[in-house]
Amino acid sequence: MSEFIVLGPDQIIAQDLADAIRSNTPQARVTVFRRDEEVLAELATLRPAAVILHREPEGFAGTALGQVLAAGGIPHGFLSTAEAAGDATILESPFTEATVAALLEKLSGIRSLGL
């Protein structure tokens, strides 16, 4: 079973994103968190297929969470409105099930159910 983490301060958007992930990979386990510290604690015992963060990518690499994801080689992307994000993987907002499918494939190589 693939495991994903969604991190976002807005529970409605985070749950919509989690539902879109489940629509594409029904066997997936998706856990939603609101704070970086919660994700850091989860990463102590879990290696997810990918982490999707609802934030701008600028400056993320210097955060504790950014460093842990990079050190662990954990794929991650950003739900963002950023147009130029360097080498960051971006899911543009607003998202659809099809754009989430493309993001999942890009991050973790997981093919969707044909979306």
Side-chain angles (χ1 to χ4, degrees):
M1 172 182 343
S2 298
E3 301 207 25
F4 296 89
I5 291 176
V6 173
L7 173 63
D10 184 317
Q11 281 301 106
I12 293 172
I13 294 171
Q15 285 300 330
D16 284 349
L17 181 53
D19 289 343
I21 293 169
R22 289 184 198 103
S23 290
N24 283 286
T25 54
Q27 76 283 7
R29 177 177 173 242
V30 184
T31 308
V32 176
F33 295 100
R34 295 181 109 176
R35 298 178 33 240
D36 288 12
E37 296 79 16
E38 296 168 330
V39 176
L40 286 167
E42 186 76 4
L43 291 174
T45 60
L46 174 71
R47 174 136 169 52
V51 176
I52 304 171
L53 309 111
H54 185 185
R55 63 164 288 159
E56 299 302 322
E58 186 176 330
F60 179 72
T63 66
L65 181 54
Q67 293 172 358
V68 167
L69 293 176
I74 299 170
H76 57 283
F78 300 89
L79 174 59
S80 172
T81 57
E83 291 182 20
D87 61 351
T89 302
I90 301 293
L91 172 63
E92 290 185 28
S93 182
F95 57 86
T96 65
E97 286 184 6
T99 60
V100 170
L103 176 77
L104 295 178
E105 187 171 343
K106 190 173 192 180
L107 288 176
S108 60
I110 293 176
R111 288 210 170 268
S112 70
L113 296 175
L115 296 177

